[in-house]
Amino acid sequence: MNTFDTPGEPLDASAAAEKVILLAYTNGVLTRSAAMQQLGLDWFGDLLIKLNTHGIRRPLASAADMLVMQQSADEVLVLLDAPKVQPIRLNKPET
């Protein structure tokens, strides 16, 4: 779970509000679209940049959600006569 660490320097009110919204998103309180709307963002990449700026790790999709996304991608790719999505393992154990 992401938490609000005490910053080395005080945050201004807008930066603090932004961080609270980002933490609400990463902890499942807000959906991605709600967080992006509250932050005034149109592109998911900007949300990732803001998470990075605040040192907040982005949330990982559950295994069930990842399976649904893979199946959806496969359905689209078959229509395009493209190869199926190859499964990837995001949380590889360290060796």
Side-chain angles (χ1 to χ4, degrees):
M1 174 186 280
N2 281 305
T3 59
F4 194 102
D5 296 329
T6 306
E9 298 176 18
L11 290 173
D12 66 34
S14 64
E18 182 174 274
K19 191 165 187 176
V20 168
I21 292 167
L22 293 169
L23 288 168
Y25 161 63
T26 61
N27 290 312
V29 176
L30 289 176
T31 63
R32 180 178 68 192
S33 60
M36 289 178 64
Q37 183 177 22
Q38 288 188 19
L39 294 169
L41 304 175
D42 294 325
W43 183 55
F44 180 60
D46 288 334
L47 180 64
L48 296 177
I49 290 168
K50 287 191 179 292
L51 288 169
N52 223 12
T53 299
H54 286 282
I56 301 171
R57 294 186 336 194
R58 74 179 168 93
L60 298 175
S62 69
D65 287 343
M66 289 175 60
L67 181 61
V68 169
M69 289 186 283
Q70 180 179 346
Q71 290 170 341
S72 296
D74 287 344
E75 289 172 9
V76 170
L77 293 174
V78 77
L79 296 174
L80 302 173
D81 197 29
K84 285 189 169 188
V85 173
Q86 296 300 313
I88 59 170
R89 187 164 180 190
L90 297 177
N91 297 324
K92 295 179 185 174
E94 293 185 25
T95 55

